[in-house]
Amino acid sequence: HVQLVESGGGSVQVGGSLKLSCAASGPTSETKGMVWFRQVPGKEREGVAGIDSDASTRYADSVKGRFTISKDNQKNTLYLQMNSLKPEDTAMYICAADPYGLPLWWFSSDYKYWGQGTQVTVS
């Protein structure tokens, strides 16, 4: 069983930066595909960025050029570097992982493991 623990959220001014982390316990074989989602109350969960076992990455159009997803396999930790933050980036950011890598519909699929989330507020 894998536990995912996010950190790095907080309050930041418009145009600022934050780096989120998602530490995974357990073997990397269980976290071949990892994704950052974000959730705003009353809205659908949105896939933000994903990374596959071959290090290929996917991004939502809304964050392309501003956010960068990466993973340290030695530490089994996922990161999300967020630059040029906007008020509409305000959300709970949640990481997810799956042992089968990223599915085609990575931004809307279900995943085996989920974290609790870390809040990001941009104002």
Side-chain angles (χ1 to χ4, degrees):
H1 183 71
V2 171
Q3 285 190 321
L4 304 176
V5 180
E6 302 95 334
S7 61
S11 297
V12 64
Q13 292 185 335
V14 173
S17 299
L18 279 176
K19 186 173 184 177
L20 306 183
S21 300
C22 172
S25 64
T28 55
S29 59
E30 288 292 300
T31 60
K32 290 182 179 178
M34 296 191 78
V35 178
W36 284 103
F37 286 90
R38 62 188 181 188
Q39 179 83 61
V40 176
K43 292 188 176 181
E44 285 192 10
R45 185 177 64 203
E46 177 188 16
V48 175
I51 188 165
D52 213 339
S53 55
D54 62 356
S56 59
T57 57
R58 315 281 189 273
Y59 293 96
D61 287 343
S62 58
V63 306
K64 278 181 182 176
R66 301 189 298 121
F67 290 10
T68 302
I69 189 171
S70 61
K71 185 183 179 189
D72 184 335
N73 284 314
Q74 294 289 331
K75 297 180 179 180
N76 205 6
T77 298
L78 180 71
Y79 301 99
L80 185 68
Q81 177 67 48
M82 306 186 295
N83 300 327
S84 302
L85 283 162
K86 304 175 180 179
E88 52 264 43
D89 295 319
T90 295
M92 180 71 74
Y93 284 73
I94 304 161
C95 72
D98 200 272
Y100 297 107
L102 286 188
L104 181 62
W105 305 105
W106 64 271
F107 46 89
S108 61
S109 296
D110 199 6
Y111 290 82
K112 186 174 182 179
Y113 304 108
W114 292 87
Q116 294 297 309
T118 185
Q119 178 68 35
V120 172
T121 302
V122 185
S123 60

